[in-house]
Amino acid sequence: MNTIHKFPEIVAGAEVCKLIINYRSTQEILDLANWVIGNSPLNYDKKLIAHRGNGEKPQILHWRDEWEEAENIALNLLDEFKIHGKKWGDNLVLSRSSWGMRKVEGSLIKHKIPYRIFGGSSLMQSRHIRDVVAPMRIVSNYLDEIAWSRYLQLWEGIGPVASAKIIGKVINEKNLDDCLFSLMEMNLQKEIADTLVQISNLQFDPANAITEALSVMFGRLKQIYKDEWEWRKDDFPILGEVAKKTGSISEFVSEYILDPQLDLYAKDGSKVDDRVILSTIHSAKGLEAENVFLVNASSKSYPTPKAVLNGEDAIEEERRCLYVALTRAKNKLRVYRDMQSIHVSNSDEQFYFLNEVPLELFEPKDISAHSYMRNNVMLQSTINQEDIYSDFDLN
């Protein structure tokens, strides 16, 4: 990058032409982006001017936990769709990593908001999620041979041939109880039947059924996924939150696992064209939307501690990523960060890109102070700029 900046010095007679007219965003959005890039020690000396003129100030919204952030994004999307008449595709949710979007994805699934993912895999299509859902499907319908095959082959020593033989015996039983009894009589690992029994005892509590299933399957799943386990296991509480929206295992399976619409939320097929876009920032170049939601733009996220350790080039690459994210928005920009980021000082976090953002550049919101009505009307409390920067109870 330093080579590019020094290009006029390296190549005699080189002329620098700056493209400063922006045809996408309103000036208020560009003012925030200009401020971020203007603080770079590389001295870009470039300020974008909006061809479209003025619009709304960007919002910086403060959350106390990631679920609060995710729910607020989902409810704002519903508000844009149902009240303001926007298409789902008018909205873009950006995160620095695909895993940073997981809770947002969980909230979109709960609220049945269609979405498409760029730069990552979807929650419900992930292998480890399908593994845990497989025994839920069996309890919902013990004749589901596909679920049986996936579930049985999770366990050590059971391959396609062995699983086919087991399936051939259990699905000939009259009901689920007889099926589980038949399974317990076979010379199999105790955990295979125990997982299904635990789930079957919680027919009307799908969230706890997932917890109980994991308590039995934990050791085997950890063994299967090895080095990937630490990040994969963080998805299971999100699955549990989704399950809380339903009153039974059968409803959970029907609504979120077997519903053909669910596949369309995560795949890149063309059956559903109107979908919210979820993207990593690195995959967002070229994307744009009426409304952009930037997830977790907190201190220690922009830049990351790793980037700080790697020096100026890495830090400035992170700054450019944030700049790209901010300039994807056409009309509305919502930037989410944790409450602690409000009180970051230069001495605490000298590299934080959104440290001491001038108040005139954004509208602050404490999303935990918002209340929502279930009839799709959102009521927001009015928060004074000075009030939000007063001392919050962060415990």
Side-chain angles (χ1 to χ4, degrees), residues 109-275:
I109 294 170
K110 283 168 58 179
H111 293 284
K112 294 190 175 296
I113 298 173
Y115 65 90
R116 178 182 182 184
I117 290 180
F118 282 82
S121 60
S122 70
L123 177 70
M124 292 306 211
Q125 297 300 317
S126 301
R127 284 173 53 207
H128 55 295
I129 294 296
R130 288 185 172 191
D131 291 343
V132 173
V133 164
M136 306 276 287
R137 289 176 56 181
I138 292 170
V139 169
S140 175
N141 174 19
Y142 77 97
L143 299 177
D144 187 340
E145 295 187 34
I146 295 175
W148 271 111
S149 181
R150 184 179 193 95
Y151 175 65
L152 290 171
Q153 290 184 62
L154 286 174
W155 302 96
E156 195 169 9
I158 300 179
V161 175
S163 67
K165 290 180 179 178
I166 297 169
I167 294 168
K169 294 179 181 178
V170 295
I171 65 171
N172 286 322
E173 300 296 342
K174 295 179 179 179
N175 52 49
L176 176 62
D177 289 340
D178 289 348
C179 175
L180 296 181
F181 184 76
S182 175
L183 191 66
M184 287 186 283
E185 288 188 321
M186 299 179 193
N187 187 25
L188 302 172
Q189 298 173 53
K190 185 174 180 292
E191 290 85 354
I192 296 175
D194 284 354
T195 302
L196 296 171
V197 171
Q198 293 276 45
I199 295 173
S200 67
N201 290 331
L202 292 164
Q203 290 276 6
F204 298 100
D205 192 353
N208 275 330
I210 290 171
T211 301
E212 291 301 318
L214 282 168
S215 70
V216 184
M217 299 173 70
F218 185 90
R220 180 56 184 159
L221 291 173
K222 186 176 182 180
Q223 185 180 26
I224 291 171
Y225 291 105
K226 299 177 183 177
D227 295 339
E228 298 177 351
W229 177 246
E230 286 304 309
W231 58 262
R232 286 186 183 269
K233 67 180 176 64
D234 291 339
D235 285 346
F236 296 127
I238 301 173
L239 184 66
E241 285 295 318
V242 173
K244 287 179 182 179
K245 291 283 287 185
T246 58
S248 69
I249 289 174
S250 293
E251 184 184 350
F252 170 70
V253 171
S254 175
E255 288 285 318
Y256 297 109
I257 309 304
L258 300 182
D259 184 351
Q261 289 297 312
L262 187 60
D263 274 346
L264 301 178
Y265 296 167
K267 293 180 180 177
D268 290 342
S270 59
K271 291 183 180 179
V272 175
D273 294 324
D274 188 21
R275 289 172 282 178

Side-chain angles (χ1 to χ4, degrees), residues 42-62:
L42 296 180
N43 188 25
Y44 285 89
D45 191 26
K46 176 182 176 181
K47 288 190 176 181
L48 295 177
I49 299 172
H51 181 267
R52 296 175 54 217
N54 295 324
E56 296 183 20
K57 281 187 180 182
Q59 292 183 2
I60 296 184
L61 302 98
H62 301 95

